[in-house]
Amino acid sequence: AVNKALAIDETYAPAYANLGWHAMDLEGDMEAAARYFQRALELEPTNPTIVADAAVLARNLGRLEEAVTLLEYALDRDPANPAGYARLGMFHYFAGNLDEAIAASRMALTLSPNLKRAHYQICEALLMKGHAEAALEVIAQEPQIGYRLFGQALAYFAVGQTADSDAVLNETIERFEQVAAYNIAYIYAFRGESDLAFQWLDKAVQFRDAGLPHVMINPLFAKVHDDPRWLPFLESIGKSPAQLEAIEFIVKVPALTE
């Protein structure tokens, strides 16, 4: 469908952005994604949707400050976008800006109280701040069952309720094995169970899990960063720091450079 759109108009920027998403999420090809998003931005450098999409690529390349800047630019032009604030909360979380992550996610909920994933993001940030009890309380409000289970498995473990964490994790595996292998992997990593974390990372690759593009920057994997299997795994999927740094992606949005 995208190719048909380009056959009609080869300068249609959203088509190139869609190709960028396809390369990034479905093919895991960050170089191709960078080329497509670069072309989309050349054609429409101030399109807030395309800038926000390019911010996702910047995040997946580990360029977190750039990702935050791009997304803030997009939100300045679309300030009532709850999904945009939720995404900004995620970006701040990956960048280690935990208070900003919580604030952005709460803004998303102010705009859309039933928005999926936002409570989960607050839960993650609270866990990273060491506020496990508060995280457990917040995650109970998450409307999306998958993310609620992910957060509960993490938070129960953090408060020392290992049996409850086990039970929730087993339910997660039973219900979502083929669509949440990446999430299951980071739960095991957070719990310090390295062998199981890598087993599930391998499954995530097998199932082409959409979470893999940001595996390198997810702090929930911190406990396995020193494992000798970590860097070879990243290299095997093209997401080691050196591989990502080598990808050329230069964003030139006029308002960002004024």
Side-chain angles (χ1 to χ4, degrees), residues 3 26 54 70 73 84 145 218 220 247:
N3 286 331
L26 298 180
L70 288 169
Y73 171 93
I145 179 61
N218 191 332
L220 291 172
I247 296 173

Side-chain angles (χ1 to χ4, degrees), residues 35-89:
R35 290 195 301 271
Y36 288 128
F37 281 121
Q38 197 84 61
R39 180 58 176 152
L41 287 168
E42 288 170 358
L43 293 167
E44 293 190 25
T46 59
N47 182 314
T49 300
I50 293 175
V51 172
D53 290 345
V56 176
L57 175 62
R59 176 202 66 182
N60 291 348
L61 293 174
R63 302 167 195 180
L64 298 174
E65 291 185 9
E66 182 177 343
V68 168
T69 300
L70 288 169
L71 192 52
E72 287 177 340
Y73 171 93
L75 281 171
D76 281 345
R77 285 143 185 81
D78 189 11
N81 185 340
Y85 281 103
R87 184 180 285 177
L88 181 62

Side-chain angles (χ1 to χ4, degrees), residues 7 58 74 132 204 224 245:
V224 300
E245 287 171 10

Side-chain angles (χ1 to χ4, degrees), residues 13-136:
Y16 290 102
N18 282 335
L19 288 173
W21 274 107
H22 183 90
M24 180 169 60
D25 272 6
L26 298 180
E27 301 299 332
D29 188 340
M30 297 295 109
E31 290 189 23
R35 290 195 301 271
Y36 288 128
F37 281 121
Q38 197 84 61
R39 180 58 176 152
L41 287 168
E42 288 170 358
L43 293 167
E44 293 190 25
T46 59
N47 182 314
T49 300
I50 293 175
V51 172
D53 290 345
V56 176
L57 175 62
R59 176 202 66 182
N60 291 348
L61 293 174
R63 302 167 195 180
L64 298 174
E65 291 185 9
E66 182 177 343
V68 168
T69 300
L70 288 169
L71 192 52
E72 287 177 340
Y73 171 93
L75 281 171
D76 281 345
R77 285 143 185 81
D78 189 11
N81 185 340
Y85 281 103
R87 184 180 285 177
L88 181 62
M90 185 195 311
F91 287 11
H92 275 305
Y93 167 73
F94 286 138
N97 307 325
L98 301 179
D99 291 334
E100 291 86 347
I102 292 170
S105 296
R106 286 179 174 159
M107 175 60 76
L109 288 169
T110 297
L111 294 168
S112 179
N114 295 317
L115 187 68
K116 296 176 182 178
R117 188 187 167 99
H119 287 97
Y120 171 76
Q121 291 181 181
I122 296 171
C123 168
E124 282 187 314
L126 289 170
L127 286 173
M128 292 298 110
K129 286 171 66 71
H131 301 163
E133 293 287 353
L136 189 59

